[in-house]
Amino acid sequence: MSIPRLCTVLAIALAIATISAQTISAQTALPHVDQGSEAAKQPKLERFDPDLVDKALNPCDSFYKYSCNKWIGANPIPPDQVYWTTGSGLELWNEGILRETMEAASKNGSTRNPIQQKIGDYWASCMDESGIEAAGLKPLQAELDRVAAVKSKKDITLEIAHLQHLYPGAWQPSDNQTNSTLFGFTGQQDYDNASMVVAGLDQGGLSLPNRDYYLNTDEKSKELLTKYRAHLQKMFALAGEPEAQATADAGTVIEIETALAKAQMDNVKRRDPKNVNNKMSLAQIRELMPSINWDAYLKAVKAPVADHYIVTSPDFFRAEEKLLNDHPLPHWQAYLRWQVIHRSAPFLTKALVDENFDFFAHTLAGAEQQLPRWRRCVHGADRDLGEALGQAYVDRAFPPESKARTLQLVHAIETALTSDIQSLSWMSSATKEQAAVKLKGIEDKIGYPSRWRDYSTVKISRDSWLNNVANASSFEFERWVAKIGKPVDRSEWTMTPPTINAYYDPQLNTINFPAGILQPPYFDASKDDAVNYGAIGMIIGHEIIHGFDDQGRKFDSKGNLRDWWTAEDSKQYDERGKCISDEYTQEVPDAGDGVKQNGLLTQGEDTADNGGLRLALAALETTLKQQGKTLDDKGPDGWTYRQRFFLGTAYSWCANIRPQIARLIVTTDPHSLPVFRIDNVVSNMPEFADAFSCKAGQKMVRANACRVW
């Protein structure tokens, strides 16, 4: 359950998913443009220009700096951003399309169709700042009253089920946990029979990004935990608690969440699917955690009968059972009140929104200003009604020609991997045969789903943004739970069409590229093949390699968790993987003194970066041969195709990043920072050294070069 998807979090989406889902709409950092002038302005879409390189620098010392220094110097981070990248203008452009769509749909009239009614009224409810202020804490009171009505620990069961319906995230496991009260629940593909959906239970319960924020003992971590305690006190007080009670409740929440953090499986161990594939019967779950009335819970979440349950971390649930017994009911009521306040805060009054922003976005991530309200509303609608809104985006931004050319790139890169597999000296013929079967079985999904989601049962009105979020969350939670016991829907997407990202799903064996990323600077129809293979081609190769990285290689062509490697080939793979993890276990000065990246956490993404760039270059070389050209032919600008390829890759990763978000990424995210996604990769490639005449002993020529694919 912890790794149903392995996705490329690009520079334009760094670490956003690591901050709890319930606070994203209030804190996701995007560039600030004055609301009054925004509609009249088109954001700048960055396009590759090789003349932006800093020729005062040596590409063999740091290719990232050589390629990005000028751009970084000319593009400081806006105050409401935690990073600024070459893709930030695209994010603004995409959001502008969504805003125009929602504004038009918000106008009352009998001509609106059901979809227009939902996205229009959602927009109106979110933008009604005066109405939200006038309502004050009234929308929160009913939920606080429910918590007060919890008269025994037995009642906690139904309150968990209620909160999982009310707020986003209970169906979305992540690298660290499911962002849900105490535990997460959903329908998920079975690891051993990927054609069927079974029930899944995951660790949860934390409000900070992951367990390390509670357990690390360095001075910075202790400082952040102290600030978190102060934030808890302020939020309880804003919700109406007396000062003494707010102080006591803050201490209780810290105590409970720290205990939950100690019990959680760490994110490195969660990367191995074998560690989270723990099958249990309902009787075993009742025995594992008897304080939860599982029959009442499953009825409350409308869960079908399950053949078995996958429990990602039985030890976590054992510890949670002990916690439920050790803490008195008033402590759990304080914890549940916090869950209500914390998860509702982004959708309520300015005072709550601002305090929520001040800790989660400012203190943890480094943002200096709050996002304009309209952007928060776009983000919320994309999360809650994403495929309804995404249809309009596809119609306006993704012509058929873009899909066709992307498929050409995909097929060329898949062909390159076919050749690479056959040429590997360390892999036996038996494993090569299985690898070829898996590669051939990959399904390419480009742009948008083949079937749009039906939101007809979701009630959306103009009256309350919080209610709309709750109704959409309940729909999505129940939609996933209802899958239990049914065949897998292979048409399902887990990203919306405007998303600037991509992912590989190991259990579906699919690569998925939303229309949102198939725009400049990642894909540019006006640019030559060298640039596009360098930018989007590297990303395509990255996603394909995820099927063969240290996690993906454990799944077969049908998505089943099955070892299809010979023992010797597995040993050979692990040796090459260790080279990658050792290389990327490194100091990260941009994240603060003493912060070190764990190469075991990032090994899969780093393997995909290295292999993906090699595949893209091989595909480019083949494409050029078909045109009667070579990689070392020069274009009219004086750069060779090989050089333009590497420059195009680096340009797409140029980023200014605040140290706070860099620290968060290193702690929680399996992706390396952009500088390492360029310099570490090219230093492993002799093809790069050839392109820029780098010599042994220079930093971009690694003596012990790593290569898996």
Side-chain angles (χ1 to χ4, degrees), residues 248-378:
D249 285 351
T252 296
V253 171
I254 291 274
E255 184 179 355
I256 289 176
E257 290 189 352
T258 300
L260 292 172
K262 289 178 180 177
Q264 284 196 357
M265 183 186 294
D266 68 73
N267 51 16
V268 173
K269 191 174 180 181
R270 276 169 70 86
R271 293 194 68 254
D272 188 338
K274 294 178 182 177
N275 290 334
V276 297
N277 184 26
N278 304 297
K279 290 185 178 182
M280 289 189 169
S281 66
L282 182 55
Q284 289 173 315
I285 290 173
R286 291 191 189 108
E287 184 178 350
L288 181 70
M289 199 173 177
S291 291
I292 296 297
N293 184 338
W294 289 103
D295 294 325
Y297 173 81
L298 294 173
K299 182 179 179 180
V301 299
K302 303 178 183 178
V305 175
D307 177 64
H308 60 268
Y309 298 77
I310 295 176
V311 181
T312 58
S313 178
D315 286 344
F316 172 80
F317 286 90
R318 289 188 188 97
E320 200 163 61
E321 169 67 18
K322 187 176 186 302
L323 270 179
L324 282 167
N325 286 310
D326 289 349
H327 282 268
L329 180 62
H331 284 195
W332 289 109
Q333 288 177 308
Y335 174 80
L336 293 171
R337 279 196 300 276
W338 166 242
Q339 290 288 304
V340 168
I341 297 165
H342 175 49
R343 292 170 180 269
S344 299
F347 318 112
L348 293 173
T349 64
K350 185 176 185 300
L352 284 164
V353 168
D354 286 351
E355 175 56 32
N356 185 67
F357 164 85
D358 186 65
F359 179 75
F360 282 98
H362 175 63
T363 299
L364 286 188
E368 295 174 0
Q369 290 182 8
Q370 177 64 280
L371 274 179
R373 188 171 193 87
W374 75 266
R375 284 211 175 89
R376 287 178 265 155
C377 294
V378 167

Side-chain angles (χ1 to χ4, degrees), residues 159-456:
E159 184 61 14
I160 293 170
H162 175 68
L163 295 177
Q164 288 174 337
H165 277 85
L166 208 59
Y167 303 111
W171 65 92
Q172 293 175 322
S174 71
D175 298 308
N176 301 283
Q177 65 160 1
T178 295
N179 291 311
S180 179
T181 303
L182 289 184
F183 58 82
F185 183 77
T186 191
Q188 66 167 92
Q189 279 180 269
D190 192 7
Y191 284 110
D192 299 319
N193 178 11
S195 66
M196 293 299 295
V197 178
V198 296
L201 284 159
D202 191 27
Q203 62 189 26
L206 307 186
S207 304
L208 295 179
N210 85 341
R211 68 194 300 269
D212 291 349
Y213 278 79
Y214 300 87
L215 306 182
N216 286 353
T217 57
D218 61 279
E219 290 304 314
K220 184 63 176 178
S221 296
K222 289 192 288 187
E223 177 190 348
L224 287 173
L225 201 57
T226 298
K227 291 182 177 179
Y228 177 50
R229 183 185 294 270
H231 169 68
L232 285 162
Q233 293 171 334
K234 291 177 184 177
M235 292 293 279
F236 277 123
L238 287 170
E241 289 191 3
E243 183 177 347
Q245 183 184 350
T247 300
D249 285 351
T252 296
V253 171
I254 291 274
E255 184 179 355
I256 289 176
E257 290 189 352
T258 300
L260 292 172
K262 289 178 180 177
Q264 284 196 357
M265 183 186 294
D266 68 73
N267 51 16
V268 173
K269 191 174 180 181
R270 276 169 70 86
R271 293 194 68 254
D272 188 338
K274 294 178 182 177
N275 290 334
V276 297
N277 184 26
N278 304 297
K279 290 185 178 182
M280 289 189 169
S281 66
L282 182 55
Q284 289 173 315
I285 290 173
R286 291 191 189 108
E287 184 178 350
L288 181 70
M289 199 173 177
S291 291
I292 296 297
N293 184 338
W294 289 103
D295 294 325
Y297 173 81
L298 294 173
K299 182 179 179 180
V301 299
K302 303 178 183 178
V305 175
D307 177 64
H308 60 268
Y309 298 77
I310 295 176
V311 181
T312 58
S313 178
D315 286 344
F316 172 80
F317 286 90
R318 289 188 188 97
E320 200 163 61
E321 169 67 18
K322 187 176 186 302
L323 270 179
L324 282 167
N325 286 310
D326 289 349
H327 282 268
L329 180 62
H331 284 195
W332 289 109
Q333 288 177 308
Y335 174 80
L336 293 171
R337 279 196 300 276
W338 166 242
Q339 290 288 304
V340 168
I341 297 165
H342 175 49
R343 292 170 180 269
S344 299
F347 318 112
L348 293 173
T349 64
K350 185 176 185 300
L352 284 164
V353 168
D354 286 351
E355 175 56 32
N356 185 67
F357 164 85
D358 186 65
F359 179 75
F360 282 98
H362 175 63
T363 299
L364 286 188
E368 295 174 0
Q369 290 182 8
Q370 177 64 280
L371 274 179
R373 188 171 193 87
W374 75 266
R375 284 211 175 89
R376 287 178 265 155
C377 294
V378 167
H379 295 168
D382 183 56
R383 178 197 61 226
D384 295 334
L385 300 169
E387 288 194 12
L389 196 55
Q391 295 178 54
Y393 178 83
V394 168
D395 289 343
R396 292 184 58 182
F398 193 61
E401 296 80 12
S402 291
K403 184 170 184 175
R405 190 170 176 192
T406 301
L407 276 169
Q408 289 177 353
L409 293 168
V410 170
H411 293 157
I413 292 168
E414 289 173 337
T415 299
L417 181 54
T418 298
S419 299
D420 185 56
I421 290 170
Q422 295 307 313
S423 68
L424 291 175
S425 60
W426 57 269
M427 185 182 285
S428 69
S429 58
T431 304
K432 285 180 179 180
E433 183 178 343
Q434 290 294 308
V437 169
K438 180 166 187 179
L439 176 57
K440 187 176 181 180
I442 291 178
E443 181 182 355
D444 308 321
K445 293 183 178 181
I446 309 298
Y448 49 89
S450 58
R451 184 174 68 251
W452 296 105
R453 191 163 300 154
D454 179 7
Y455 293 96
S456 60

Side-chain angles (χ1 to χ4, degrees), residues 121-184:
D121 287 355
Y122 187 101
W123 174 261
S125 71
C126 179
M127 292 297 290
D128 183 18
E129 192 168 8
S130 60
I132 291 172
E133 288 299 315
L137 295 177
K138 289 180 182 177
L140 195 64
Q141 195 58 51
E143 296 306 322
L144 294 176
D145 290 344
R146 276 185 62 100
V147 173
V150 173
K151 299 302 182 184
S152 71
K153 290 185 183 179
K154 292 181 180 179
D155 296 337
I156 292 174
T157 294
L158 294 183
E159 184 61 14
I160 293 170
H162 175 68
L163 295 177
Q164 288 174 337
H165 277 85
L166 208 59
Y167 303 111
W171 65 92
Q172 293 175 322
S174 71
D175 298 308
N176 301 283
Q177 65 160 1
T178 295
N179 291 311
S180 179
T181 303
L182 289 184
F183 58 82

Side-chain angles (χ1 to χ4, degrees), residues 463-684:
D463 299 332
S464 168
W465 186 22
L466 181 61
N467 285 347
N468 287 338
V469 171
N471 290 339
S473 297
S474 182
F475 164 79
E476 193 66 8
F477 179 53
E478 292 188 0
R479 190 177 73 83
W480 277 96
V481 170
K483 297 173 184 288
I484 295 170
K486 296 179 180 178
V488 168
D489 179 3
R490 292 192 57 84
S491 69
E492 188 92 47
W493 281 62
T494 59
M495 288 181 181
T496 62
T499 303
I500 308 173
N501 212 326
Y503 67 99
Y504 169 76
D505 189 320
Q507 290 183 275
L508 288 176
N509 198 23
T510 62
I511 52 174
N512 305 259
F513 299 92
I517 197 174
L518 299 174
Q519 316 287 346
Y522 306 107
F523 172 78
D524 191 340
S526 70
K527 299 298 181 182
D528 62 286
D529 284 331
V531 173
N532 279 312
Y533 273 106
I536 196 65
M538 180 268 196
I539 295 165
I540 293 169
H542 173 111
E543 299 306 339
I544 295 171
I545 289 295
H546 268 320
F548 305 88
D549 69 10
D550 64 316
Q551 288 177 304
R553 77 178 188 87
K554 296 174 182 177
F555 295 87
D556 65 17
S557 63
K558 303 296 184 182
N560 297 310
L561 184 57
R562 180 177 69 85
D563 189 358
W564 46 270
W565 294 68
T566 68
E568 179 59 27
D569 289 344
S570 288
K571 179 182 177 182
Q572 292 282 342
Y573 186 99
D574 290 342
E575 288 177 0
R576 286 159 175 77
K578 186 176 186 302
C579 182
I580 294 285
S581 62
D582 287 349
E583 176 184 328
Y584 283 82
T585 298
Q586 58 198 331
E587 298 292 332
V588 186
D590 290 343
D593 293 340
V595 178
K596 191 172 185 178
Q597 178 172 307
N598 185 344
L600 291 174
L601 175 61
T602 63
Q603 182 181 342
E605 299 298 334
D606 299 332
T607 299
D609 282 347
N610 280 267
L613 194 61
R614 285 194 184 91
L615 290 183
L617 181 60
L620 171 62
E621 184 173 23
T622 299
T623 300
L624 290 173
K625 283 181 180 178
Q626 294 168 353
Q627 301 169 1
K629 302 174 184 176
T630 73
L631 286 171
D632 296 313
D633 289 346
K634 287 187 177 181
D637 57 10
W639 298 92
T640 67
Y641 292 117
R642 189 192 304 264
Q643 290 171 327
R644 286 174 64 82
F645 169 85
F646 284 112
L647 289 169
T649 299
Y651 179 75
S652 67
W653 289 96
C654 295
N656 265 312
I657 302 176
R658 296 192 193 278
Q660 295 94 327
I661 195 70
R663 180 186 180 91
L664 192 152
I665 293 165
V666 172
T667 305
T668 65
D669 199 300
H671 301 81
S672 294
L673 293 172
V675 60
F676 304 124
R677 302 188 79 164
I678 297 302
D679 281 357
N680 284 24
V681 174
V682 300
S683 66
N684 285 321

